Amino acid sequence: MKFMVEVRIRLKKGMLNPEASTIERALALLGYEVENTDTIDIITFTMNEESPEDVRREVEDMCQRLLCNPVIHDYEFSITEMEG
């Protein structure tokens, strides 16, 4: 079976996010009033596995070992079975 995976990674609450701060200041200079700007990295890929549980287990391992730093990042992911 083929699955589409989307992983969303963001800094944990309380961590400094200079990229988001820069975006917020730049938007203010352009006349837009925004608060609590956040940046999110989104990684998408497909996997061939026997079941959604196998995909979930492997993606969890990928996130813990490579895709993010669990000390400073929160992450969530979605898995969608693809047709055909």
Side-chain angles (χ1 to χ4, degrees), residues 22-59:
T22 300
I23 291 168
E24 200 168 290
R25 282 192 306 275
L27 287 171
L29 289 172
L30 293 172
Y32 300 104
E33 198 168 318
V34 297
E35 293 180 10
N36 302 320
T37 305
D38 193 12
T39 56
I40 301 172
D41 291 326
I42 299 174
I43 303 166
T44 60
F45 52 91
T46 58
M47 293 181 71
N48 293 311
E49 287 297 338
E50 294 296 317
S51 70
E53 294 78 23
D54 290 341
V55 175
R56 188 168 285 106
R57 185 175 49 254
E58 288 193 20
V59 172

Side-chain angles (χ1 to χ4, degrees), residues 54-66:
D54 290 341
V55 175
R56 188 168 285 106
R57 185 175 49 254
E58 288 193 20
V59 172
E60 185 71 40
D61 189 51
M62 289 176 194
C63 289
Q64 292 287 324
R65 296 177 65 197
L66 176 69

Side-chain angles (χ1 to χ4, degrees), residues 63-77:
C63 289
Q64 292 287 324
R65 296 177 65 197
L66 176 69
L67 298 179
C68 71
N69 178 345
V71 173
I72 63 170
H73 293 120
D74 285 327
Y75 62 89
E76 57 187 21
F77 56 87

